Amino acid sequence: MKKQMRTIMLGLGLAAMTAVTSQAADYHSRIIRFGYGLSADSNQGKAVDFFAKDLAKRTGGKLHVKGFGNASLGSDIQMQNALIGGAQEMMVGSTATLVGIDSDFGVYDLPFLFSNTKEADTILDGPFGQKLLNALQAKGLVGIVYWENGFRNLTNSVRPIKTVADLKGIKLRVMQNPMYIDMFDRLGANAVPMSFSELFTALETHTVDGQENPVNTIESSKFYEVQKYLSLTKHVYSPWVMLASKAWWDKLTPDEHKAITEAAVDSRKFERDYSRSAQKTALTFLKKHGMQVTVVSDAQLAKMRDLAKPEMEKFAAAGHQQEVKTIEADLAKLRK
Ligand code: TK8
């Protein structure tokens, strides 16, 4: 009897102790400067806001995310460098602008790689995508989750692009990424690499004729004000990636790592759901605001795909043979 009592008391004591430790998770008061390129009311801005609230809830307000939109902390590339240097804590931006830091990320820029969002989600959230994120640590960045930027479409102010030939001579802003430059040069356009933050003005002043981005961004960045023609090409599925400064991350407690990672996973679902539903209304919105929309025929898309095909071999030959093989095998499995 006595022995039984002691066991019960011991049990209760242990339970109380675990209750105490789980309550007093190790969170410090921190301000997290989180930069992004689009506006606060874009899909990107809404998801940063979601992440901030989710993380605050998890940590009793200790981890306080301050979002800085419109590239107010710098372009994607400038922010990546600020993270590496420890001058900024977090950001979200295109994987395409990461290639100067880790060329493996160029794999996502391969034209017509993913045929739908299910393929993209499976590869990005699976071992392939995770391996790429993990490799960033050696470069001073922590890759946390991927969000959806989306399938990219062409806009310009010169003429409707119905065929590849229509692209000839169009001065097209592309992201600062060699594959995009090469791809659009191959398609006959005149590719001009430029940071996103300079883009609206460049379109407005006709420094460039066009650009390419998902319809959500064409809407939220008001490109319809300065672009007449939209062609639905879906030539690349573009991911965004949520990044943290490794120098900063290493100072956080395990509980903080856990809370940030869990909030990031929640934000990924929110952001993708939001982007996918916003995309449905974006097209109607853009038409209503004067854009002329061209649905590019399958035959013309096939032609673009053929012209862009050498990008795959070129990327593989530049030391990415294994990577290309792996993603192709993963995709083949999904398509079976
Ligand atoms: C926002 C960019 C943007 C991208 C681009 O900073 O540069 O065209 O699609 O979303 O990352």
Side-chain angles (χ1 to χ4, degrees):
M1 184 64 184
K2 244 188 180 169
K3 195 172 167 200
Q4 211 178 1
M5 195 61 187
R6 227 187 302 144
T7 320
I8 289 169
M9 297 226 337
L10 191 70
L12 282 175
L14 276 176
M17 262 168 66
T18 33
V20 167
T21 38
S22 68
Q23 246 169 31
D26 198 4
Y27 302 131
H28 297 252
S29 286
R30 300 182 195 272
I31 304 270
I32 303 173
R33 284 163 299 177
F34 192 121
Y36 58 98
L38 304 190
S39 66
D41 65 358
S42 66
N43 50 343
Q44 199 177 46
K46 290 223 157 72
V48 171
D49 194 43
F50 177 96
F51 173 69
K53 291 196 172 111
D54 189 300
L55 187 58
K57 215 183 316 157
R58 284 170 191 282
T59 62
K62 287 276 184 68
L63 295 188
H64 180 74
V65 170
K66 271 185 107 138
F68 291 87
N70 290 312
S72 56
L73 295 183
S75 67
D76 283 5
I77 290 179
Q78 286 167 334
M79 290 195 287
Q80 289 156 15
N81 290 326
L83 259 54
I84 292 170
Q88 181 184 327
E89 290 76 34
M90 293 186 76
M91 67 170 286
V92 67
S94 277
T95 53
T97 48
L98 262 180
V99 295
I101 292 166
D102 185 340
S103 65
D104 283 351
F105 276 86
V107 72
Y108 300 132
D109 306 318
L110 290 169
F112 301 100
L113 179 72
F114 297 132
S115 11
N116 53 54
T117 53
K118 182 152 188 286
E119 286 183 7
D121 292 356
T122 312
I123 298 287
L124 292 165
D125 301 345
F128 185 93
Q130 192 56 48
K131 190 173 169 203
L132 260 69
L133 293 182
N134 293 347
L136 285 174
Q137 296 232 1
K139 314 278 180 179
L141 294 169
V142 182
I144 306 173
V145 287
Y146 296 97
W147 285 357
E148 170 157 303
N149 188 348
F151 280 104
R152 305 180 77 88
N153 297 299
L154 289 170
T155 71
N156 82 97
S157 55
V158 178
R159 56 177 167 258
I161 309 291
K162 295 182 186 141
T163 66
V164 178
D166 293 331
L167 261 175
K168 183 122 195 88
I170 297 281
K171 266 186 284 164
L172 190 80
R173 175 272 177 177
V174 293
M175 290 188 280
Q176 293 148 298
N177 171 297
M179 206 185 303
Y180 274 90
I181 302 171
D182 208 50
M183 181 195 328
F184 282 103
D185 282 343
R186 269 177 213 282
L187 295 176
N190 197 342
V192 183
M194 184 187 288
S195 73
F196 186 84
S197 44
E198 293 171 76
L199 181 51
F200 186 90
T201 308
L203 292 169
E204 193 176 33
T205 57
H206 296 278
T207 306
V208 291
D209 304 316
Q211 63 86 43
E212 41 85 55
N213 253 299
V215 286
N216 287 331
T217 300
I218 299 168
E219 176 178 348
S220 64
S221 296
K222 300 192 162 54
F223 290 159
Y224 56 87
E225 289 180 358
V226 287
Q227 298 277 273
K228 173 82 186 154
Y229 306 105
L230 166 62
S231 287
L232 303 175
T233 47
K234 297 170 95 184
H235 47 274
V236 178
Y237 176 89
S238 193
W240 276 322
V241 59
M242 188 195 281
L243 300 169
S245 158
K246 172 94 165 59
W248 170 73
W249 182 264
D250 287 347
K251 293 183 212 145
L252 305 183
T253 68
D255 286 333
E256 291 172 336
H257 288 160
K258 187 164 174 277
I260 294 172
T261 308
E262 287 173 358
V265 169
D266 277 1
S267 76
R268 174 177 72 195
K269 182 171 177 355
F270 170 85
E271 195 273 342
R272 284 183 184 153
D273 288 350
Y274 181 87
S275 293
R276 285 163 197 176
S277 83
Q279 190 190 300
K280 289 184 195 142
T281 52
L283 215 51
T284 318
F285 177 94
L286 294 175
K287 282 183 193 158
K288 223 170 97 188
H289 286 76
M291 284 198 99
Q292 189 179 312
V293 180
T294 302
V295 180
V296 182
S297 73
D298 286 346
Q300 282 301 318
L301 288 178
K303 212 165 179 183
M304 285 184 189
R305 188 190 285 260
D306 276 353
L307 283 169
K309 202 154 191 169
E311 292 308 323
M312 177 82 93
E313 288 116 53
K314 203 172 153 192
F315 181 70
H320 301 285
Q321 213 126 27
Q322 192 51 49
E323 197 186 0
V324 168
K325 238 171 136 179
T326 310
I327 201 163
E328 286 204 305
D330 285 356
L331 284 169
K333 240 185 278 160
L334 283 175
R335 285 167 189 168
K336 254 214 292 232

